[in-house]
Structure formats: C-alpha cells, structure tokens
Amino acid sequence: MTAPDPDGLLAEQLLRLTRRVQRIQKRHLEHRGLGITPAQSRLLRTLAHYGSPPRMADLAERLEVVPRAVTTLVDGLEAGGKVRRVPDPGNRRVIRIELTDDGRAALYELHAGRRAAAEEILAPLTDDQRTVLGGLLGTLIDGPVAEEAHRAP
C-alpha cells in the first residue's frame, strides 16, 4: 500500500477549485446576457489596463497567446460594438484597439458578474478564513519572494 500524496491531493483540489470558479463565473456572465466569451472577457479586462490603445501584438504578448488568437477575439468584440480598430497616429500601418462606450459598459457588467461569482464561491468562509486564504493565494501566485518582501522592515 502506498502512502498518501498530500501534494497530489492539494494539486487535485486546486484544479477542481479552478474548474468550479470557471463554471460559476461563466454562469454569472451568461446570466447577464452580454454574449461575451470568457476569452473575450479577459481581452476586455486586459485592454482596460492600458493607458492608450495597444497594438494587437501588445495584447497577444500580455495575454500570452499567438497574435491570430487576438485577431479572432477582436473580430468578435468589434462585431458586438465593444472595441474598435483605430489607426496609430504615428504609423498608418499600425492598428490599435480601443474600448468603445459599449465595451466599458460591458466591463462594468463583467466586473459585477465576477464579484457575484466570488461572493458565491467564498460564501462558506468566515472573514478570518478569507484573510488566511488571501495570504496563501498571494504566496502561491507571487511566489516566496513577494512573501519575503511583505515581512521585510
């Protein structure tokens, strides 16, 4: 008989939680009727973090996908009026992507849907448990270097 693998169990729990989070977020987004896929949602959120409209290549790099994938996402969002392609003022050959007013409104709805999903997922936890979970997730996401920086005087 083999000994239990605690790291394997944790890995499985993390994967199951990730799938559950995705399912719940998807349900909340579908409930809002935006007609935006999770990948399009991610592109919109990424686009909102730029101070000025980025190039497609910038988005592809930030999203860690191939440029063709960004083109497909932008095509869908543009057809829905959420983004528009605009020429770069300094180089006519370069196209930049900017949010429209409908895109900003969709981002607001997406944020509300994600918040509702988070509330549903975290509902069983006490405030203290949420604080501990937040610290643990921060360490897992940022690595031990970030944790050490928090402890430094």
Side-chain angles (χ1 to χ4, degrees):
M1 185 165 157
T2 61
D5 177 11
D7 288 342
L9 176 60
L10 283 174
E12 181 60 30
Q13 287 174 312
L14 285 172
L15 290 172
R16 288 177 55 209
L17 177 60
T18 300
R19 286 191 296 264
R20 181 168 184 250
V21 167
Q22 290 171 339
R23 272 193 321 273
I24 290 171
Q25 283 185 344
K26 185 177 179 185
R27 181 170 36 86
H28 279 272
L29 293 179
E30 287 172 352
H31 176 71
R32 292 175 183 281
L34 296 173
I36 294 175
T37 67
Q40 289 173 330
S41 167
R42 185 170 173 235
L43 187 138
L44 285 175
R45 289 191 320 273
T46 301
L47 191 54
H49 285 96
Y50 282 92
S52 61
R55 299 172 307 139
M56 296 270 236
D58 298 328
L59 288 168
E61 184 178 331
R62 177 84 58 95
L63 293 168
E64 299 178 345
V65 298
V66 296
R68 178 70 190 126
V70 172
T71 300
T72 301
L73 293 172
V74 169
D75 287 348
L77 289 168
E78 188 176 37
K82 307 294 188 270
V83 301
R84 70 177 143 253
R85 289 172 165 93
V86 295
D88 184 294
N91 184 345
R92 294 181 313 161
R93 293 175 295 170
V94 175
I95 298 296
R96 295 190 174 268
I97 308 304
E98 71 178 9
L99 281 170
T100 63
D101 288 341
D102 282 351
R104 281 186 272 286
L107 269 173
Y108 178 82
E109 286 296 319
L110 290 168
H111 177 73
R114 287 169 58 94
R115 181 141 180 94
E119 288 172 6
E120 180 179 334
I121 291 162
L122 297 172
L125 301 179
T126 66
D127 288 343
D128 288 343
Q129 289 172 322
R130 289 175 188 214
T131 299
V132 169
L133 178 61
L136 294 170
L137 290 174
T139 299
L140 292 174
I141 291 166
D142 299 329
V145 174
E147 185 65 26
E148 292 168 12
H150 289 268
R151 285 186 261 175

